[in-house]
Amino acid sequence: VLTEKLRIALLLPYKVIGRYASSTTNASFAYLIAKNHSFELKSYKIESESVEDIQKALQQISQDGFYYVIAPLTQKGANAIGEINPDMNIFFPTINKKDITSTSSYLVYGGIDYQAQSDMLLKEAVSPLVIFYDKSSIGKKLSLYEEEKFIYDGIDQNLSSEEIEAQIVDANKTVVKFSIPKRTTNLEKQLFENEEIIEGSFFINTPIVKTGMIMSQLTLYDTNATNVLSTQINYDPLILSMTQYEDRKNMIIANSITQNNNILIETNSLLGNDIVYDWINYTTTVGVDYFFNLATREDREYNIALEDNQMIYPIELLNPARYRFIKHISTIEE
């Protein structure tokens, strides 16, 4: 059992991650206070996610005697660390291993799996699948992934391209995609009397405010949506206050924040921090918990499997009901 101080470093590209620089710090701090074990938590700011900036910070972290690093970086920063290949334990709360090629045993990925969430949601989808997305990298990546998965799912990829085409036609699956620019507030030209989308499943890959706008207009323009699907992006209590119940009653949201600990929730809220809905703060907490277990051999608070250096979060499907999120009961025949 560890008797000396547990020392954790935070590697923070302030300019890139904005408010997450302070909220991931708070999440780490809240966890360590709640554990009542002596600790030292130190932040290392980096100007950019270049290999040079990161390497310099990691050398400093190592000289200062820290073995455990929480690194809320973007994919660029995580790739840079993969190149440097340091021999210290680094946890990325923001990155899923599917997006990275590193094989280092020291690097652990805590980002949620948007693809696995999309797969689960697409089981609920009917044709036409109407995909809304914005210009963010996650929006673009998900819309491409969902389109391909929906069209090719269940089709034998070993067939010739003609046979695959024929199977796609037989399956009668159509996809309609709308990229919604930042300032757009009216979707009349996409939705009004558009026969191609009536009674479809609408997959929304946009942040919460834009999602609220899209959903009110799906009702306004009588699209008769079979359902509205969304990943973790829209698991947010704002959806309950920003949309009318009528607009969201057929909405299904995938969520991977499925385990929580009341003491940690309370300690975070004292610091003005949210680990109930904010997945990056949640995954940061899971990372600090993982390091705490490595260092002290005490049981982990979060019973989340680690496979091939990636945290595997359970996924649940929820409906934003009148006043809260409730479990989605699927009507799909397995």
Side-chain angles (χ1 to χ4, degrees):
V1 171
L2 181 84
T3 49
E4 71 268 25
K5 255 196 282 203
L6 169 63
R7 307 179 73 222
I8 293 181
L10 285 144
L11 182 63
L12 303 171
Y14 268 74
K15 289 180 179 161
V16 185
I17 59 168
R19 71 182 176 89
Y20 278 110
S22 59
S23 74
T24 51
T25 304
N26 284 343
S28 307
F29 187 56
Y31 179 91
L32 293 167
I33 298 174
K35 287 307 258 188
N36 215 354
H37 184 105
S38 67
F39 68 89
E40 183 181 348
L41 185 65
K42 187 170 178 186
S43 299
Y44 292 80
K45 294 181 188 179
I46 46 177
E47 274 302 299
S48 77
E49 293 184 306
S50 68
V51 171
E52 300 72 43
D53 281 359
I54 290 177
Q55 187 140 31
K56 214 163 76 187
L58 291 178
Q59 274 164 351
Q60 191 59 55
I61 288 170
S62 176
Q63 276 167 20
D64 293 349
F66 288 90
Y67 301 110
Y68 301 109
V69 184
I70 299 280
L73 306 181
T74 67
Q75 204 169 326
K76 180 186 174 191
N79 281 326
I81 288 186
E83 260 178 69
I84 297 165
N85 201 14
D87 51 358
M88 59 171 75
N89 293 293
I90 300 179
F91 183 90
F92 301 98
T94 42
I95 302 288
N96 188 281
K97 197 173 179 190
K98 284 182 177 167
D99 297 324
I100 294 288
T101 49
S102 163
T103 52
S104 163
S105 62
Y106 287 104
L107 307 181
V108 174
Y109 300 87
I112 60 164
D113 190 340
Y114 282 110
Q115 290 186 4
Q117 289 192 347
S118 297
D119 293 350
M120 220 163 140
L121 288 160
L122 285 168
K123 292 192 173 126
E124 307 283 329
V126 299
S127 188
L129 181 68
V130 186
I131 301 175
F132 291 91
Y133 63 102
D134 61 4
K135 290 286 194 291
S136 68
S137 62
I138 180 84
K140 289 192 288 204
K141 210 190 285 182
L142 280 181
S143 72
L144 267 174
Y145 177 80
E146 288 149 6
E147 175 178 27
E148 291 194 351
K149 180 81 183 173
F150 184 69
I151 288 195
Y152 291 104
D153 198 37
I155 288 177
D156 183 353
Q157 297 301 309
N158 299 319
L159 301 171
S160 71
S161 53
E162 286 81 13
E163 289 170 314
I164 288 177
E165 280 303 309
Q167 285 209 355
I168 290 172
V169 171
D170 282 350
N172 194 15
K173 289 180 178 176
T174 56
V175 173
V176 180
K177 286 165 84 177
F178 296 122
S179 168
I180 309 296
K182 234 188 177 74
R183 294 198 168 73
T184 305
T185 53
N186 187 329
L187 302 176
E188 182 174 5
K189 76 170 195 296
Q190 290 89 341
L191 304 180
F192 183 57
E193 291 186 350
N194 182 348
E195 295 295 319
E196 284 183 1
I197 62 174
I198 295 294
E199 293 183 358
S201 283
F202 291 77
F203 213 127
I204 304 188
N205 299 309
T206 56
I208 190 87
V209 174
K210 182 150 285 180
T211 297
M213 182 273 292
I214 293 169
M215 288 170 67
S216 65
Q217 300 200 20
L218 294 182
T219 310
L220 178 68
Y221 293 115
D222 290 332
T223 55
N224 289 331
T226 295
N227 50 28
V228 177
L229 311 170
S230 183
T231 61
Q232 196 77 39
I233 303 171
N234 287 300
Y235 179 60
D236 187 319
L238 271 177
I239 201 99
L240 303 172
S241 54
M242 268 183 36
T243 56
Q244 304 288 334
Y245 176 65
E246 189 54 34
D247 302 340
R248 66 172 184 269
K249 67 177 197 296
N250 298 323
M251 188 180 202
I252 307 169
I253 295 177
N255 167 47
S256 294
I257 305 178
T258 58
Q259 295 183 22
N260 248 317
N261 166 313
N262 287 340
I263 293 171
L264 293 175
I265 293 171
E266 298 291 316
T267 316
N268 270 278
S269 67
L270 289 172
L271 298 170
N273 218 37
D274 166 34
I275 57 168
V276 179
Y277 291 102
D278 189 307
W279 73 262
I280 294 178
N281 292 338
Y282 174 77
T283 56
T284 298
T285 307
V286 169
V288 180
D289 180 53
Y290 169 69
F291 284 160
F292 192 84
N293 159 265
L294 283 188
T296 64
R297 296 281 166 247
E298 284 186 30
D299 288 347
R300 284 168 60 192
E301 297 288 340
Y302 291 89
N303 170 25
I304 290 164
L306 184 66
E307 281 172 28
D308 192 23
N309 284 35
Q310 167 66 48
M311 291 286 170
I312 306 295
Y313 301 96
I315 300 168
E316 58 181 12
L317 296 185
L318 301 172
N319 303 117
R322 285 192 188 274
Y323 308 110
R324 59 190 176 91
F325 291 94
I326 58 173
K327 213 168 180 46
H328 173 68
I329 310 297
S330 182
T331 53
I332 307 294
E333 302 298 320
E334 275 300 328

